[in-house]
Amino acid sequence: MARIRRVAAGVLAAGAGTRFDGGAPKLLSPFRGRPLAAWALDAALAAGLDGVAVVTGGTDLAPLLGALGPGVVELRHRGWEAGQATSLARAREWGDAAGFDAIVVGLADQPLVTAGAWRAVGRARAGPVVVATFGGRRRPPRRLD
């Protein structure tokens, strides 16, 4: 098995959260005093991977992304309404074009996934797809070589 050299994080944040019943867009709604998406973005950054991108579309995350600094690449996805698979494809295209060997993909609306989970999945030596497990159940993030 080839050694993974460069691994990036891709945070999927393109959905509009239409099933969410709150006063603000889902990803900007407060969770423990911070916008929901801030938790996943901070964890992806803190994982220490070789790059971080966030796929956006249905919600303007510019204020949140601006606070994170230049280390995060925003990938505007015009076709976000076609579903999450198209956001995943957008992240993969970016990773391929930027020369990453793999991308760890997680969801912006999962605030309790830690930087350690992102890092462990990114560093795992298993096959071409690595999936995190929590309580014995497969959950994001996932690494795709």
Side-chain angles (χ1 to χ4, degrees):
M1 178 180 356
R3 183 179 171 307
I4 301 296
R5 294 176 308 281
R6 293 186 68 228
V7 179
V11 180
L12 304 185
T18 56
R19 294 183 305 261
F20 178 72
D21 187 20
K26 177 182 176 181
L27 295 178
L28 297 176
S29 292
F31 176 77
R32 296 184 180 174
R34 301 173 58 213
L36 180 66
W39 295 88
L41 292 167
D42 286 348
L45 278 166
L49 300 176
D50 299 307
V52 177
V54 58
V55 181
T56 62
T59 301
D60 181 10
L61 298 180
L64 181 58
L65 297 176
L68 296 175
V72 177
V73 175
E74 180 180 11
L75 304 173
R76 296 282 307 152
H77 179 36
R78 292 185 182 147
W80 65 270
E81 291 177 289
Q84 191 175 61
T86 66
S87 294
L88 174 60
R90 179 72 178 96
R92 292 282 316 265
E93 289 168 3
W94 167 79
D96 290 345
F100 292 104
D101 299 299
I103 186 165
V104 178
V105 180
L107 307 176
D109 64 354
Q110 293 189 329
L112 302 179
V113 177
T114 67
W118 286 82
R119 187 177 313 108
V121 170
R123 292 182 179 165
R125 300 278 182 214
V129 177
V130 177
V131 180
T133 58
F134 299 92
R137 299 186 71 180
R138 294 178 180 180
R139 299 283 184 243
R142 296 162 190 222
R143 188 188 77 213
L144 307 171
D145 290 2

